[in-house]
Amino acid sequence: MRLEEALKKYLGYETFRPGQKEVIETALAGKNSFVMLPTGTGKTVCYQLTGYLLEGAVVIISPLLSLMQDQVERMKAYGEKRVIAINSFLAPQEKVAALRRLDQYKFIFLSPEMLMNDTVKGRLKQLKIALFVIDEAHCISQWGHDFRPDYLALGDFRADFEYPLTMVLTATATERVRQDILLQLQLNDAESIIYSVDRPNIALFTRRYATFKEKKAGLVELVRELKSPGIIYFSSKRLAEEFQQLIRSETALESAYYHGDMQAESRMMIQQQFSRGQLDVICATSAFGMGIDKADIRYVIHFHLPGDLEAYVQEIGRAGRDGEKSAAILLYANGDEMLQRQLADKDALDPALLELPAELVGSLPETEQRMLAHYAESGLSKGAIRKRLEERRHWKQQNLAAMKGYLETEGCLRAYILRYFGEEAADKEQQPDCCDRDGAEITHYFGTNERRNEQPDWVRYLDELFVGP
DNA sequence: CGCGTTGGTCGTATGACCAACGCGGTGCTATACT
């Protein structure tokens, strides 16, 4: 059967999107792959169709519970019943039952933490694993080193399972991050399938302000003018909340805030409201984003610069999935990078903690305890650990410096990003609205959002309702 | 870095003002207890 026929038969699509066929063919040929496809190009199809064409189960490692739930629901909605997510959403007895009948599932979603659970491992050992998938694989290189060490144990898992056929999926990774991911996964024979990170329909802007206050005022002005919907990213939960209040009082836009301290239910609700077009603006921290597949996001503003360009590209990539023109705007006020410098510094464990007496370790925050436990089990000497922490710190500072360079460059912003990801700069002829350095005008992204400002015009409303516009 | 909180002083109001200080973001899971 030709792959197109299989695509039609199993998933109902007529044609492949760029990259998908190549990825599936590679897996069907029994080769491991490292796949980099831009956001919104249907990475799910890659492992789903491969799974249908192979005998055995597909195990998918996913970083977020909400992502897993979404995928499971979507697959179920399309009629696939043999799909499950083993995670803490399951009640203990549900989990036991699910593990007992694990062999009945074709697609099994797991977090790296759950994968390391001995019962789960033992049960997986009894199955035939056709394909091992790492979704959002950049998490290995970012979160793994910082606060989710189980991401770093995926390599040992692969070894333990005699190196199952593996597919690594991400949207953004520099060569260096790719190398780190492959190293962590103990994957040295992966076929690289790399597509450009460039999203031509997203115009790039930076704006400098002298002070925090001016930046704040500038943001309100932008939000008032820009065509919504949009996302504004902050590096502080408090500021995200504060700004949402400000937008509510200063504009007629519908808005909400979103960050990691909120209850899972409120987070889900906000995300749904945004997806359904009930909100114009989301004021969020980096917690908001993965798994958002809203097509018509018109702008992404960053109130603070992110810690690295990978995060920036990932976050602005949520704009313009529909291919329509959209804007990515990075704001800066003097000294902004200090905040990121502080956060980056906090990430790598303080080497002094390695000397902490065992009885005091218990009083540390949970994340630090985990990272310490991870290093203790790694068998590395203290000197080697110290060296690794130092390298990590250095890496982060370099990344931040590159991010700062983006703000400061006088050349094309898109070219800067592409160079960072090791790509050739795109052809200018094809990109009239590229970035502010090349003459793109922010006003092209303005629109009217003030409709809610008007008092409801009942006569017109009823007229439209019964007679049509 | 900039912001909010805290605690001191002033000097007699239950505030006004200032300096010093600390903090900032991302998520999984297990298990005990109210």
Side-chain angles (χ1 to χ4, degrees), chain A residues 215-253:
Chain A
K215 187 169 75 163
K216 208 162 159 176
L219 175 59
V220 176
E221 269 328 291
L222 274 174
V223 170
R224 213 194 299 275
E225 299 287 355
L226 283 166
K227 185 168 166 40
S228 63
I231 305 174
I232 309 168
Y233 280 107
F234 298 86
S235 294
S236 141
K237 294 175 263 197
R238 185 179 53 76
L239 274 178
E241 287 195 25
E242 208 176 289
F243 250 90
Q244 190 261 329
Q245 298 292 345
L246 194 65
I247 285 166
R248 173 174 288 177
S249 61
E250 298 277 313
T251 74
L253 301 167

Side-chain angles (χ1 to χ4, degrees), chain A residues 58-75:
Chain A
V58 180
V59 172
I60 305 119
I61 305 305
S62 172
L64 300 179
L65 299 179
S66 60
L67 262 185
M68 294 183 219
Q69 299 304 112
D70 275 1
Q71 307 266 48
V72 168
E73 273 168 39
R74 205 165 302 161
M75 283 168 98

Side-chain angles (χ1 to χ4, degrees), chain A residues 23-209:
Chain A
V23 174
I24 295 165
E25 280 171 345
T26 303
L28 292 179
K31 292 186 205 154
N32 298 320
S33 56
F34 183 100
V35 180
M36 194 165 123
L37 288 175
T39 28
T41 44
K43 288 189 274 291
T44 311
V45 167
C46 296
Y47 60 78
Q48 210 178 339
L49 191 56
T50 305
Y52 283 126
L53 300 174
L54 292 174
E55 188 196 327
V58 180
V59 172
I60 305 119
I61 305 305
S62 172
L64 300 179
L65 299 179
S66 60
L67 262 185
M68 294 183 219
Q69 299 304 112
D70 275 1
Q71 307 266 48
V72 168
E73 273 168 39
R74 205 165 302 161
M75 283 168 98
K76 278 188 177 162
Y78 280 94
E80 179 52 76
K81 289 184 189 132
R82 299 168 301 159
V83 51
I84 191 165
I86 309 281
N87 59 35
S88 57
F89 281 179
L90 296 179
Q93 63 269 40
E94 285 178 320
K95 190 176 144 193
V96 170
L99 286 175
R100 194 171 295 143
R101 51 167 198 273
L102 203 60
D103 52 349
Q104 296 172 20
Y105 294 105
K106 181 78 189 171
F107 300 98
I108 303 165
F109 287 84
L110 295 160
S111 66
E113 288 82 4
M114 191 60 87
L115 188 71
M116 299 308 152
N117 177 294
D118 285 337
T119 318
V120 173
K121 256 191 198 169
R123 199 64 188 88
L124 284 171
K125 275 249 163 95
Q126 297 164 348
L127 304 185
K128 179 175 171 55
I129 297 180
L131 182 66
F132 187 57
V133 180
I134 323 285
D135 200 10
E136 307 286 358
H138 55 277
C139 291
I140 295 175
S141 185
Q142 284 163 9
W143 292 358
H145 296 292
D146 290 346
F147 66 101
R148 291 182 71 178
D150 288 319
Y151 257 114
L152 306 181
L154 291 175
D156 289 340
F157 176 90
R158 290 189 67 247
D160 193 18
F161 278 68
E162 286 160 8
Y163 303 103
L165 181 63
T166 301
M167 184 186 283
V168 183
L169 302 169
T170 184
T172 47
T174 58
E175 181 57 29
R176 196 172 171 185
V177 170
R178 270 173 238 157
Q179 292 309 326
D180 183 46
I181 291 172
L182 295 176
L183 178 77
Q184 299 303 332
L185 288 173
Q186 302 181 23
L187 188 56
N188 46 28
D189 59 348
E191 195 109 326
S192 283
I193 301 173
I194 312 281
Y195 279 70
S196 175
V197 293
D198 190 28
R199 299 279 308 284
N201 63 315
I202 303 176
L204 306 169
F205 300 88
T206 66
R207 303 211 127 189
R208 279 177 164 272
Y209 299 90

Side-chain angles (χ1 to χ4, degrees), chain A residues 249-469:
Chain A
S249 61
E250 298 277 313
T251 74
L253 301 167
E254 298 292 340
S255 58
Y257 63 83
Y258 185 105
H259 56 67
D261 278 355
M262 296 161 65
Q263 296 289 322
E265 297 134 42
S266 347
R267 288 173 64 159
M268 262 155 63
M269 194 179 77
I270 303 288
Q271 196 175 319
Q272 270 184 10
Q273 287 178 341
F274 187 62
S275 292
R276 288 185 195 140
Q278 294 163 342
L279 295 170
D280 300 305
V281 187
I282 294 270
C283 298
T285 62
S286 56
F288 187 74
M290 263 194 271
I292 308 286
D293 60 352
K294 185 173 174 56
D296 63 346
I297 297 173
R298 293 278 70 89
Y299 67 86
V300 174
I301 299 177
H302 281 74
F303 189 74
H304 297 111
L305 70 169
D308 52 55
L309 267 169
E310 286 99 309
Y312 189 62
V313 167
Q314 187 103 29
E315 285 166 0
I316 65 175
R318 285 157 199 153
R321 295 270 176 89
D322 53 8
E324 298 292 312
K325 63 179 198 171
S326 313
I329 309 160
L330 176 58
L331 310 186
Y332 176 81
N334 286 327
D336 273 1
E337 68 274 20
M338 293 311 287
L339 195 159
Q340 282 303 335
R341 192 164 295 165
Q342 290 302 113
L343 290 177
D345 215 49
K346 228 178 79 182
D347 275 339
L349 213 56
D350 180 355
L353 292 177
L354 296 171
E355 311 298 338
L356 203 69
E359 65 269 23
L360 290 180
V361 169
S363 57
L364 289 174
E366 191 243 353
T367 304
E368 294 187 338
Q369 290 190 42
R370 276 175 150 232
M371 293 312 294
L372 276 176
H374 163 73
Y375 283 120
E377 285 163 22
S378 71
L380 292 167
S381 72
K382 278 187 186 165
I385 297 172
R386 210 171 267 126
K387 183 155 170 270
R388 199 166 279 196
L389 291 173
E390 196 41 56
E391 283 168 4
R392 183 78 190 148
R393 201 162 267 138
H394 184 63
W395 183 352
K396 293 225 167 191
Q397 299 303 350
Q398 277 184 328
N399 287 345
L400 183 57
M403 189 70 231
K404 187 87 194 299
Y406 174 82
L407 273 162
E408 285 165 351
T409 184
E410 286 173 10
C412 171
L413 294 173
R414 192 173 310 273
Y416 188 95
I417 290 179
L418 295 179
R419 268 200 310 275
Y420 182 79
F421 283 94
E423 294 181 35
E424 300 276 316
D427 185 357
K428 278 295 152 54
E429 302 296 317
Q430 298 169 342
Q431 300 203 2
D433 231 7
C434 174
C435 67
D436 55 10
R437 309 302 198 265
D438 292 339
E441 292 285 343
I442 191 84
T443 49
H444 293 172
Y445 300 85
F446 287 1
T448 46
N449 299 313
E450 300 290 320
R451 59 187 186 283
R452 288 178 192 78
N453 224 0
E454 302 160 11
Q455 290 300 315
D457 180 344
W458 290 109
V459 177
R460 207 181 79 199
Y461 175 72
L462 291 171
D463 219 47
E464 282 178 13
L465 203 61
F466 293 110
V467 187

